[in-house]
Amino acid sequence: MSALPPLPEEDEAWTARLRALQPLGPPEPRPFFFTRLQARLDARQAPTTMLPAWLRRPAYALFLGALVLALNADTAVSKSVSPPTSSSSSSAAGKW
Amino acid sequence: MSSSPTDAELVAQFQAGSAAAFRTLVERYQGPVYRTALSLLRSPEEAEDVAQEVFVEVYQTIDRFRGEAALSTWLYRLATSRALKQQRKNRTKKRFTLLTNLLGINHEVLHEPPDHQHPQALLEGQQQQQQLLDAIARLPESQQVAFTLRHEQELSYEEIAAVLGTSVSAVESLLFRARQRLRQFLHPHLV
């Protein structure tokens, strides 16, 4: 391995040394950078319009599902436990 | 003949909803943002990803940009912080892969994560240049950022201070220590 050349001391000398690493000029991003950026932005925006942000969190969605099931179950149970009698309903209707 | 809009004009147009202003802004700064990320990550693919994410963030948060700092300062700040985050992620991944392989948890063949070399250095095949780039990569984060912004992006001390949110004297100190460490890495017997 060959010995390294003396290292620069001065500010400008370091810049020149690093500039020498790019003999072909400063590197540039690949062509059509903006097109790829646009595609990325479109991909990010697409799902957000479909559902509200809070509903896209699994915990909220699960909670909402559980709540709907619990309310349905409660309604079903309360209907099966105390069916309305025909006499009470007719008497109630008679009052009004 | 129409002169190109200033950064402040571009931001104002973009905040007012001009898609053309955003495109001009991206085309004006895609090179500097990409090169900043590349100088810290040394992987063209990762640098492209970071540069894209920087502009996604700009697109999403432009309403909050009040112009207290220059647009370029904001972009350099986003690029360096995202590149450093990616660098940390790469290091963690490398350490984790090494650990799982040492413990025998991962039965995959041990692959050394790709060591992305600077494209120009590869092209030139110059070992000394690669040694310098490796030494820069071994600098502490703040010194590495200050050094690359100064000597690769050729920003002034004042601009670097604005990007790092520090004083010019602090930047001078960071650069002094960075150069000192580079000399230690590259010529240990001389220090």
XYZ file of all heavy atoms in Angstrom, chain B residues 90-91 93-95 97-99 101-102 106 108-117:
179
model
N -29.020 2.004 9.688
C -28.092 1.081 9.026
C -27.136 0.455 10.035
O -26.860 -0.745 9.973
C -27.280 1.817 7.960
C -28.121 2.203 6.764
O -29.249 1.746 6.609
N -27.584 3.067 5.917
N -26.649 1.292 10.969
C -25.705 0.781 11.975
C -26.386 -0.254 12.873
O -25.821 -1.296 13.165
C -25.159 1.934 12.821
C -24.019 2.645 12.142
C -23.230 3.484 13.136
N -22.653 4.607 12.416
C -22.999 5.870 12.595
N -23.883 6.202 13.488
N -22.427 6.825 11.899
N -28.970 -2.076 12.177
C -29.241 -3.279 11.373
C -27.979 -4.132 11.244
O -28.008 -5.352 11.377
C -29.716 -2.833 9.994
C -30.486 -3.875 9.230
C -31.028 -3.256 7.959
C -31.499 -4.309 6.996
N -31.922 -3.724 5.711
N -26.869 -3.435 11.031
C -25.586 -4.128 10.868
C -25.218 -4.856 12.157
O -24.817 -6.018 12.144
C -24.513 -3.092 10.504
C -23.252 -3.672 9.932
C -22.348 -2.548 9.447
C -21.039 -3.094 8.938
N -20.176 -2.020 8.402
N -25.402 -4.138 13.304
C -25.078 -4.723 14.607
C -25.991 -5.915 14.903
O -25.550 -6.954 15.377
C -25.229 -3.670 15.710
C -23.892 -3.095 16.124
C -24.057 -2.124 17.260
N -23.828 -0.780 16.769
C -24.592 0.262 17.006
N -25.662 0.152 17.728
N -24.310 1.442 16.529
N -27.607 -7.843 12.772
C -27.275 -8.960 11.886
C -26.055 -9.703 12.412
O -26.023 -10.931 12.463
C -26.988 -8.437 10.459
O -28.053 -7.601 10.065
C -26.832 -9.567 9.461
N -25.072 -8.915 12.838
C -23.844 -9.512 13.366
C -24.131 -10.326 14.618
O -23.669 -11.458 14.768
C -22.842 -8.388 13.675
C -21.410 -8.803 13.928
C -20.786 -9.351 12.646
C -20.599 -7.611 14.415
N -24.959 -9.746 15.507
C -25.289 -10.397 16.773
C -26.065 -11.696 16.545
O -25.729 -12.733 17.118
C -26.110 -9.437 17.635
C -26.372 -9.871 19.068
C -25.081 -9.843 19.876
C -27.409 -8.977 19.719
N -26.099 -13.533 13.982
C -25.237 -14.522 13.352
C -24.256 -15.120 14.349
O -23.976 -16.316 14.317
C -24.498 -13.906 12.165
C -25.375 -13.866 10.926
O -25.772 -14.893 10.406
N -25.714 -12.677 10.481
N -23.763 -14.272 15.263
C -22.833 -14.761 16.283
C -23.527 -15.734 17.227
O -22.965 -16.725 17.643
C -22.267 -13.587 17.084
C -21.135 -12.804 16.430
C -20.783 -11.584 17.263
C -19.902 -13.686 16.277
N -29.863 -16.644 13.646
C -30.171 -16.516 12.227
C -29.334 -17.538 11.470
O -28.119 -17.508 11.508
C -29.819 -15.086 11.791
C -30.304 -14.793 10.407
O -30.707 -15.705 9.694
N -30.256 -13.537 10.035
N -29.220 -17.927 8.343
C -28.864 -17.533 6.983
C -27.348 -17.405 6.872
O -26.648 -17.227 7.863
C -29.492 -16.180 6.647
C -30.993 -16.238 6.514
C -31.599 -14.840 6.397
O -30.847 -13.894 6.113
O -32.814 -14.726 6.618
N -26.886 -17.476 5.656
C -25.451 -17.299 5.429
C -25.105 -15.851 5.777
O -25.868 -14.930 5.476
C -25.132 -17.576 3.938
C -23.641 -17.404 3.663
C -25.588 -18.974 3.561
N -23.981 -15.674 6.473
C -23.588 -14.324 6.881
C -23.157 -13.500 5.666
O -22.170 -13.797 5.020
C -22.440 -14.408 7.893
C -21.856 -13.087 8.367
C -22.916 -12.227 9.037
C -20.695 -13.315 9.303
N -23.974 -12.511 5.409
C -23.617 -11.596 4.321
C -23.214 -10.277 4.943
O -23.942 -9.732 5.760
C -24.815 -11.353 3.396
C -25.183 -12.544 2.581
N -24.354 -13.035 1.614
C -26.286 -13.328 2.592
C -24.941 -14.099 1.058
N -26.104 -14.298 1.636
N -22.099 -9.799 4.561
C -21.698 -8.455 4.983
C -22.621 -7.465 4.292
O -22.783 -7.519 3.067
C -20.244 -8.222 4.561
C -19.618 -6.940 5.062
C -19.402 -6.903 6.565
O -19.320 -7.966 7.190
O -19.342 -5.791 7.096
N -23.312 -6.553 5.054
C -24.166 -5.579 4.378
C -23.366 -4.812 3.328
O -22.184 -4.524 3.545
C -24.608 -4.646 5.511
C -24.387 -5.413 6.748
C -23.267 -6.355 6.487
N -23.992 -4.512 2.203
C -23.226 -3.875 1.138
C -22.564 -2.589 1.607
O -23.211 -1.757 2.229
C -24.280 -3.583 0.061
C -25.597 -3.706 0.736
C -25.408 -4.659 1.862
N -21.289 -2.495 1.355
C -20.550 -1.298 1.733
C -20.558 -0.382 0.512
O -19.764 -0.523 -0.404
C -19.126 -1.693 2.123
C -18.338 -0.501 2.635
O -18.966 0.513 2.961
O -17.105 -0.609 2.680
N -21.531 0.536 0.523
C -21.693 1.388 -0.646
C -20.528 2.353 -0.761
O -20.342 3.195 0.107
C -23.004 2.159 -0.551
C -24.182 1.257 -0.487
N -24.601 0.517 -1.555
C -25.021 0.955 0.527
C -25.664 -0.187 -1.211
N -25.930 0.059 0.054
N -19.803 2.217 -1.799
C -18.670 3.101 -1.979
C -19.087 4.297 -2.818
O -20.024 4.225 -3.608
C -17.535 2.346 -2.661
C -16.999 1.234 -1.774
C -15.705 0.675 -2.287
O -15.456 0.684 -3.470
N -14.893 0.185 -1.388
